[in-house]
Amino acid sequence: MRERFGTLIDVERPAQDGDFVVIDLVATNDGEVVDGAEISGFSYKVGNGGMIDGLDEALVGMGVDEEKTFTTQLVSGDLVGQDVEVAVKVTQVQEQELPELDDEFAQEASEFDTLDELREDVRERLTRGKRLEQAAAARDAVLEALLEKVEIPLPDSMVTEELNARRANLEQQLQFAGMTLEKYLEDEKQTQEEFEADLERRVRDAVAAQFLLDDIADKEEMGVDQGELTQHMIRRAQQSGQDPQEFVNHMFEHNHVPELVQEIRRGKALQLLVEGATVKDAAGNVVELKNLQADGTIGEPADEAAEPAEAVEETEAPAEA
């Protein structure tokens, strides 16, 4: 938060890690400027990474009006994987000055009057986030433990369809990122065979989990009311960055509502399994997951007349609150 409200001050010294520099940069291949690889007056934080391999190392130690050339490989565009020459010139070196951490800062950066109130709010929000991470890890661990205990015959056509859908989705994401599958596998340190085997394993687990959770939801006669459907659609819209009303209209127009209802029922079935299991974190502490709310808080106990499903054997959730 202090960095967001920090100010940049020009300094007359070589750039250090963490400084901001204003640079001119151009990449060439065989003497020709690479399309889309020429910028000027660009502000960049040294050590930030993610722009061009080798840029951070080149910038450290450079002063105003100094130039340097280095060789690297682009990760997007028509020259992916090919060596290019990058010339960079520093026109400004700036140091970030952070505001004092006091009540005045709390009033400027938030709706709170004191630093203590701001600290408490940040602590609560971080705790809620960690609880949600922990709950997700617990759900995965419980489902994995249960899938190891049952054997579910899977229709080959359904597995193949899901495999193809996931491959197509990954290829689309890589294309948007300007990355090839070969580069992705290199970064993940996976061979093509390992990637395919891991993908098929995850797909089979996902399909088996759907059958399992659908069966539990049917046996428990789990229903979905209008309020639950509305909240689920709003969350899905937020996750995808869409306007909620447009998302809802699209779901109804294309008859996707039954799929959303099934998603909610599976979520309820999984929650029933989790509440009936003993889950411990990496330190061996039992994780309290009953009545976990969507914002990471623990709600008031609901009607407990109906006992949860038979507990799954003790399993471990790695995330710690």
Side-chain angles (χ1 to χ4, degrees), residues 19-233:
D19 283 342
F20 284 80
V21 292
V22 178
I23 59 174
D24 299 334
L25 180 148
V26 59
T28 58
N29 178 256
D30 292 333
E32 297 290 330
V33 176
V34 177
D35 186 35
E38 183 176 14
I39 57 175
S40 61
F42 182 74
S43 180
Y44 178 77
K45 185 176 182 180
V46 181
N48 202 46
M51 188 173 175
I52 296 178
D53 286 344
L55 178 61
D56 290 306
E57 293 80 0
L59 289 172
V60 171
M62 290 183 67
V64 174
D65 292 332
E66 285 191 27
E67 299 182 41
K68 189 177 290 186
T69 301
F70 61 96
T71 302
T72 189
Q73 291 188 341
L74 299 180
V75 297
S76 63
D78 297 332
L79 299 177
V80 171
Q82 295 186 36
D83 287 342
V84 296
E85 294 295 313
V86 177
V88 60
K89 178 181 179 180
V90 173
T91 59
Q92 276 182 281
V93 178
Q94 300 174 307
E95 184 177 76
Q96 187 176 43
E97 186 176 79
L98 302 180
E100 292 294 326
L101 200 56
D102 52 23
D103 290 349
E104 185 177 339
F105 169 73
Q107 293 163 18
E108 180 185 7
S110 72
E111 70 272 27
F112 300 104
D113 293 326
T114 68
L115 181 61
D116 287 342
E117 291 174 324
L118 175 58
R119 283 187 187 278
E120 184 60 29
D121 178 69
V122 171
R123 183 178 293 109
E124 288 180 3
R125 285 190 284 112
L126 289 174
T127 299
R128 286 198 298 270
K130 286 297 183 182
R131 285 195 62 82
L132 288 173
E133 290 178 15
Q134 190 179 57
R139 288 193 293 267
D140 291 345
V142 169
L143 192 54
E144 182 180 349
L146 191 57
L147 287 174
E148 290 175 356
K149 295 177 174 295
V150 297
E151 193 167 320
I152 303 174
L154 304 176
D156 290 336
S157 59
M158 192 172 183
V159 173
T160 300
E161 182 180 345
E162 183 65 20
L163 272 170
N164 292 336
R166 293 204 181 193
R167 282 198 198 95
N169 184 52
L170 175 61
E171 289 171 0
Q172 186 180 50
Q173 290 178 352
L174 292 176
Q175 186 177 3
F176 285 147
M179 185 182 293
T180 63
L181 180 60
E182 291 74 18
K183 175 63 175 173
Y184 171 79
L185 293 177
E186 180 184 333
D187 291 346
E188 294 295 314
K189 296 180 173 56
Q190 274 190 321
T191 65
Q192 182 75 35
E193 293 73 21
E194 290 171 338
F195 166 75
E196 292 292 343
D198 182 57
L199 180 62
E200 182 169 354
R201 177 189 60 77
R202 286 186 283 115
V203 165
R204 287 188 172 277
D205 284 349
V207 174
Q210 288 182 15
F211 279 111
L212 178 65
L213 295 176
D214 287 346
D215 188 56
I216 293 173
D218 289 342
K219 287 179 177 172
E220 296 293 329
E221 298 182 348
M222 293 177 173
V224 176
D225 60 36
Q226 185 60 48
E228 291 171 326
L229 178 60
T230 300
Q231 289 301 313
H232 185 68
M233 287 194 286

